[in-house]
Amino acid sequence: MLGGTGTTLMQAPSPLRQRLRAYAGLMRVDRPIGTLLLLWPTYWGLWLAAKGTPSLRLFLIFTVGTWLTRSAGCVINDYFDRDFDRQVARTCQRPLAAGLITPQEALRLFVVLCLLAAALLPLLNWLTIGLSAGAVLITITYPLFKRFTHLPQAYLGIAFSFGIPMAFAATLNQVPTLAWWLMLANACWVVAYDTAYAMADRPDDIQAGIKSTAILFGRFDRHTIAGLQAVMLILFIGIGVAQAMHWPYWIALAGAAVLAAYEQTLLGGDRDQAFRAFLHNNWIGLLLFWGIVAGLAPGGVSTVLPGAA
């Protein structure tokens, strides 16, 4: 018994380690999918704006800034949703919902993360700084939308697309038409995959009174997701034609279409399968990023969308 007790005590995490683990969980350090889904479109924007050769400086600034912004967004989301999260099976063990961190501690962490992100702003031009103010406002207000509209996913689509115009602004000191087309394509993609995410929580959300596109679309959820993904791919085709992208881009686009079709088979299953479909979108983002990088590499961009210059 003594030996067994000693082993248990040796294995038990210290109070400090438990606290750090709780803070890491609040920032979703253990769940990088959200950061990746934010990074891929930001990288798309950086590479397209720089015609395939973005600066290492901007790459690092946007990578760190995206991680900090996403972490801050998770903290403020959990702060506003802490009562809802206790009613949803998938989120009831989040640090705030479980009482591992107090609301006051969460707000302090949110402020610290915002200040760290703000420390990067002097490294950017004024246009990018102005756009970042809009991004912060959307990040803070997003959690409130699920209380009075069934379209919080559309608002998230804007929030998760703001890295695109910021990347163009930081690179070119302007936001050309190309950036808005790319932002629209990404917003459609975000609504599609976040609807799949909401499908996993739909029974609990209905009971808790949370609104979502998964509830709004009902039995047409899979059809709507397929339609949004189709619009995204059509916009990427238009961007590829206008930018005279080379063959790797088209291979990547075809691969993304296959992956989107595969997700439809997952969405026909249970809640766990719907969540798997959401996670699967990381590979679509990665594949499209590879397509843009490789598609620009051989000869760069020879034409632009009207108004992009």
Side-chain angles (χ1 to χ4, degrees), residues 104-137:
Q104 294 74 21
E105 290 171 329
L107 284 178
R108 285 195 290 268
L109 177 60
F110 173 74
V111 171
V112 169
L113 290 169
C114 287
L115 290 174
L116 290 173
L120 298 172
L121 293 179
L123 304 174
L124 301 169
N125 58 42
W126 284 108
L127 178 58
T128 311
I129 293 172
L131 288 169
S132 72
V136 171
L137 178 62

Side-chain angles (χ1 to χ4, degrees), residues 28 30-38 70 160 275 278-282:
R28 308 289 198 278
D30 58 332
R31 296 177 182 273
I33 179 64
T35 302
L36 292 170
L37 291 174
L38 264 173
R70 191 259 175 166
F160 266 49
F275 190 68
F278 160 71
L279 295 174
H280 186 262
N281 281 274
N282 176 54

Side-chain angles (χ1 to χ4, degrees), residues 30-277:
D30 58 332
R31 296 177 182 273
I33 179 64
T35 302
L36 292 170
L37 291 174
L38 264 173
L39 277 174
W40 296 134
T42 302
Y43 289 164
W44 303 341
L46 277 174
W47 257 259
L48 283 169
K51 301 181 180 180
T53 56
S55 71
L56 177 61
R57 172 178 158 275
L58 285 180
F59 175 80
L60 293 176
I61 290 172
F62 275 90
T63 298
V64 175
T66 297
W67 183 83
L68 289 170
T69 302
R70 191 259 175 166
S71 296
C74 290
V75 174
I76 199 65
N77 180 80
D78 286 9
Y79 173 80
F80 283 121
D81 285 358
R82 59 191 185 278
D83 293 329
F84 285 133
D85 285 345
R86 296 187 183 104
Q87 305 175 58
V88 178
R90 189 181 51 79
T91 60
C92 64
Q93 294 304 313
R94 286 178 175 174
L96 262 174
L100 301 176
I101 292 176
T102 68
Q104 294 74 21
E105 290 171 329
L107 284 178
R108 285 195 290 268
L109 177 60
F110 173 74
V111 171
V112 169
L113 290 169
C114 287
L115 290 174
L116 290 173
L120 298 172
L121 293 179
L123 304 174
L124 301 169
N125 58 42
W126 284 108
L127 178 58
T128 311
I129 293 172
L131 288 169
S132 72
V136 171
L137 178 62
I138 292 174
T139 298
I140 294 173
T141 55
Y142 159 70
L144 303 176
F145 267 63
K146 66 189 71 174
R147 288 157 171 77
F148 61 86
T149 175
H150 280 93
L151 296 170
Q153 281 71 26
Y155 198 65
L156 185 70
I158 299 173
F160 266 49
S161 301
F162 240 83
I164 293 171
M166 288 179 64
F168 275 87
T171 304
L172 304 174
N173 202 23
Q174 64 173 316
V175 184
T177 305
L178 171 61
W180 302 116
W181 284 114
L182 188 62
M183 187 174 182
L184 178 59
N186 186 66
C188 291
W189 182 46
V190 174
V191 177
Y193 68 62
D194 205 53
T195 298
Y197 182 93
M199 287 170 65
D201 293 336
R202 183 161 46 196
D204 294 331
D205 285 349
I206 293 173
Q207 186 173 354
I210 301 172
K211 296 177 172 62
S212 72
T213 49
I215 297 171
L216 176 66
F217 299 146
R219 61 191 180 92
F220 298 106
D221 48 13
R222 291 176 61 194
H223 304 84
T224 306
I225 289 172
L228 287 166
Q229 290 177 324
V231 172
M232 177 200 73
L233 292 170
I234 290 170
L235 288 170
F236 266 93
I237 290 173
I239 290 170
V241 170
Q243 298 298 108
M245 300 294 278
H246 295 268
W247 63 267
Y249 178 86
W250 303 106
I251 296 294
L253 205 55
V258 171
L259 293 177
Y262 171 68
E263 287 179 12
Q264 286 293 310
T265 66
L266 297 176
L267 292 171
D270 57 17
R271 296 169 64 174
D272 290 339
Q273 291 288 82
F275 190 68
R276 278 188 60 202

